[in-house]
Amino acid sequence: MAANKENFDLLEKLENLSIFRLCKFIENHITTNLMEGGIETRPANSNGLWSCILLPTILVLYSLGYNVSLLYKIMACLSVGMLFYCILFSIFLSVSCMVLKDNIYGGCVASSFISAILMYTVLDQELWFSVVYSMLIMHIFSLLLRNALTKFPKTFTIGEAMIVVQGITLFLVMTCFRAYYKIGDKSDEQMEFVYSVNFTILTTVGIIVIALTLMEESERNLKSLSYVVSIAGTYALVMLHMLVGVDCIIKLASYILLDVKKVGLFSIWLLMSIFAGFVIYFRTRIQAKASTVTRKSFHILASVVFLTGIIYDVHLITLAAGFGLGLLIFVETLRKADIDPISPQLQAAFDVYSDEKDVGYFAMTPVYLYVGLACPLILVPVHTGHQLELLSGVLSIGVGDTAASWFGSKYGFNKWSDGHKSLQGTSFNIISQIAVVYVLEMFEIFAVPNGLFKIMFVGTVTGLVEAKTDQIDNLILPLVTVIAFQIVGMFI
């Protein structure tokens, strides 16, 4: 009781600080303005404004601490501009919701100058390149952010929309720069091959999504879908021919089938995917609503795939991650396209496995899960001990969050102050992450300097954030985990 009173007094003192009062003031006014403007965000206790700092922090810290490629540093500079825009956006939104509805570009210009100055002075890029691309990218970011909040009601909180749009914008810039400007780390030829294939896959899916979006509802049918897929498939073959070579299909097949380890991993992943598909199919047939623990079982399956891939073949799991992301986006597009009989069946499966957070236009929770597991593959550069950081998504949401959900639902008798999650669940979250790393090191599956000490700190940070945040765990926790690894790496 005394400890709880001390914690309450500490929180009360923090809330009395001017910076916390200012943040709370902005938060309250944003919520009021959103309601008055008829803007519906995903139901949550807060807008999650703090989330916008996560992705830029990761990129900047890695750019400062490690020998990363020029492309990575450009992404870091652009992310700083996006962070500055998010701060201005939050301030403007606390004054009026008109920033969401009118084409107000003042914040874009100011944010563009921040990125342009960094690229010109720090990275020694040409002035025209820095200014033009900073302006263009910041306007794209602004447009996507406003559309995410206005066109797709109840899908994102403000913070979640900021992270998602930051990620989409930076990913598009990265793929375009890598493909057309040949900027990137060219020392790893195998990874360059993987990036070329993934670029082709994702742009092909993008063509399908755009085509189906532009169609009238009356035009969406199986025949139209077959035409669109045929055109997109032709584009994919042309792109592979240009990026990989004339024998692109042979190279791709040889890359997977001529290596025993790759064949073994691919076979295991394929069997697990088929098993998951059958489970979803039969549960949809009987229309049995999935519980939280049931949904978490898919976290485990996905985590095993990424865990084995990261440990045994990073290149192959990166290739598989690109294919899986494209497939996931394609399936979600079909669900929303109203194409009989595909869309109704996908909607039925969604109704069975959706949770209380999936109330918006898109099914974001499974997308967040997949992206959360895969994002360290892009964000974490190669350095000593980076294997543990690549497992940030697996440890935080595949292991910790799943363990907290299962253990807390059974033995969570003592709740946190908000009354939602339990102390027992949080404790098991932390312990499970430490235990997994301990087992991996004990069996010499991989060895990271001071890995056990690092995960003790990181697991504690992740567990506490999972217990207190009302933003979607699958999106937030992997980014928090990567930052925690970066911080502890400065001292250990």
Side-chain angles (χ1 to χ4, degrees):
M1 292 294 293
N4 289 335
K5 187 178 186 303
E6 290 178 3
N7 291 335
F8 178 79
D9 292 340
L10 177 60
L11 290 173
E12 189 175 29
K13 290 177 182 178
L14 288 174
E15 289 177 355
N16 289 330
L17 293 176
S18 57
I19 183 65
F20 283 89
R21 289 204 307 269
L22 176 61
C23 292
K24 193 171 183 180
F25 174 83
I26 293 175
E27 176 84 20
N28 292 337
H29 275 261
I30 287 176
T31 301
T32 301
N33 290 335
L34 289 174
M35 292 177 61
E36 292 178 352
I39 306 298
E40 294 183 286
T41 57
R42 185 183 66 78
N45 294 327
S46 70
N47 293 306
L49 302 177
W50 61 274
S51 306
C52 67
I53 198 173
L54 296 176
L55 193 53
T57 298
I58 293 172
L59 295 172
V60 170
L61 287 178
Y62 275 128
S63 295
L64 294 175
Y66 300 95
N67 183 26
V68 297
S69 65
L70 174 61
L71 177 59
Y72 197 101
K73 293 177 181 178
I74 290 175
M75 297 300 102
C77 292
L78 292 172
S79 72
V80 173
M82 292 178 188
L83 173 60
F84 188 73
Y85 178 85
C86 290
I87 295 172
L88 292 178
F89 181 83
S90 300
I91 295 173
F92 293 153
L93 193 55
S94 69
V95 177
S96 171
C97 68
M98 295 306 295
V99 68
L100 285 170
K101 299 181 177 181
D102 290 345
N103 294 327
I104 301 173
Y105 297 114
C108 291
V109 174
S111 305
S112 300
F113 283 143
I114 298 293
S115 295
I117 290 171
L118 289 173
M119 291 170 62
Y120 179 68
T121 58
V122 178
L123 303 185
D124 197 28
Q125 297 299 297
E126 294 184 14
L127 183 60
W128 73 267
F129 178 90
S130 303
V131 173
V132 170
Y133 280 99
S134 294
M135 291 283 289
L136 176 62
I137 291 163
M138 219 56 63
H139 278 73
I140 293 174
F141 174 74
S142 173
L143 179 64
L144 291 176
L145 180 59
R146 287 187 284 119
N147 282 321
L149 293 169
T150 56
K151 303 296 185 182
F152 308 111
K154 297 183 180 181
T155 304
F156 310 98
T157 63
I158 303 292
E160 290 165 2
M162 288 176 175
I163 293 181
V164 170
V165 177
Q166 283 175 351
I168 291 174
T169 307
L170 291 173
F171 186 79
L172 290 174
V173 172
M174 182 190 72
T175 53
C176 291
F177 276 28
R178 182 179 291 276
Y180 297 112
Y181 283 93
K182 307 300 181 182
I183 300 177
D185 184 7
K186 302 296 181 180
S187 59
D188 192 337
E189 293 184 2
Q190 190 176 165
M191 190 60 79
E192 281 300 305
F193 169 78
V194 169
Y195 282 144
S196 298
V197 175
N198 281 346
F199 173 80
T200 303
I201 292 171
L202 294 175
T203 52
T204 301
V205 173
I207 290 173
I208 297 173
V209 171
I210 293 172
L212 292 178
T213 302
L214 294 177
M215 281 184 184
E216 299 291 336
E217 290 188 14
S218 59
E219 298 175 340
R220 296 174 187 170
N221 50 52
L222 288 177
K223 184 177 181 180
S224 299
L225 177 62
S226 63
Y227 286 150
V228 171
V229 171
S230 299
I231 294 171
T234 303
Y235 161 83
L237 290 175
V238 172
M239 287 302 299
L240 285 175
H241 177 86
M242 293 172 57
L243 297 175
V244 178
V246 179
D247 55 344
C248 53
I249 303 299
I250 297 176
K251 285 183 178 179
L252 184 58
S254 301
Y255 178 77
I256 299 174
L257 300 178
L258 295 184
D259 187 306
V260 175
K261 183 172 67 174
K262 285 185 173 64
V263 171
L265 285 173
F266 184 77
S267 300
I268 293 172
W269 299 344
L270 184 60
L271 289 174
M272 293 175 66
S273 300
I274 294 173
F275 172 75
F278 274 116
V279 170
I280 294 173
Y281 173 75
F282 285 114
R283 198 174 188 93
T284 302
R285 286 286 301 272
I286 62 176
Q287 296 183 339
K289 183 66 175 178
S291 65
T292 300
V293 175
T294 302
R295 287 192 294 270
K296 296 298 183 181
S297 63
F298 288 94
H299 287 217
I300 297 174
L301 286 176
S303 298
V304 170
V305 171
F306 278 91
L307 176 65
T308 53
I310 290 170
I311 291 175
Y312 296 109
D313 197 325
V314 174
H315 298 89
L316 183 62
I317 191 59
T318 304
L319 177 62
F323 175 80
L325 179 59
L327 181 61
L328 194 61
I329 295 172
F330 178 63
V331 170
E332 179 62 9
T333 302
L334 290 180
R335 183 179 76 88
K336 302 300 296 185
D338 292 328
I339 299 176
D340 288 325
I342 299 175
S343 298
Q345 294 177 4
L346 294 175
Q347 182 63 43
F350 170 76
D351 292 337
V352 169
Y353 282 94
S354 61
D355 64 12
E356 67 280 358
K357 295 179 181 179
D358 287 317
V359 295
Y361 188 80
F362 294 115
M364 296 307 297
T365 301
V367 176
Y368 289 154
L369 170 63
Y370 195 89
V371 172
L373 292 169
C375 68
L377 295 171
I378 296 176
L379 295 176
V380 178
V382 177
H383 61 275
T384 303
H386 78 291
Q387 295 92 340
L388 194 56
E389 294 163 49
L390 289 176
L391 293 173
S392 293
V394 173
L395 292 171
S396 59
I397 55 180
V399 176
D401 185 41
T402 302
S405 177
W406 174 79
F407 195 81
S409 65
K410 290 182 175 293
Y411 309 105
F413 305 113
N414 302 104
K415 302 294 184 179
W416 286 92
S417 57
D418 57 13
H420 178 53
K421 297 179 181 179
S422 67
L423 296 172
Q424 288 81 7
T426 301
S427 300
F428 200 66
N429 181 332
I430 299 168
I431 293 171
S432 63
Q433 293 186 62
I434 296 172
V436 167
V437 174
Y438 176 76
V439 170
L440 291 175
E441 291 196 342
M442 181 177 66
F443 287 98
E444 298 181 351
I445 296 176
F446 72 74
V448 175
N450 301 308
L452 203 56
F453 293 101
K454 290 180 179 179
I455 195 58
M456 288 180 182
F457 172 80
V458 172
T460 301
V461 171
T462 305
L464 293 175
V465 172
E466 188 273 337
K468 304 303 292 184
T469 185
D470 58 352
Q471 306 302 293
I472 293 182
D473 297 335
N474 296 347
L475 177 66
I476 297 295
L477 294 183
L479 302 179
V480 171
T481 304
V482 173
I483 293 174
F485 273 124
Q486 290 175 301
I487 293 173
V488 74
M490 298 176 184
F491 302 99
I492 298 180

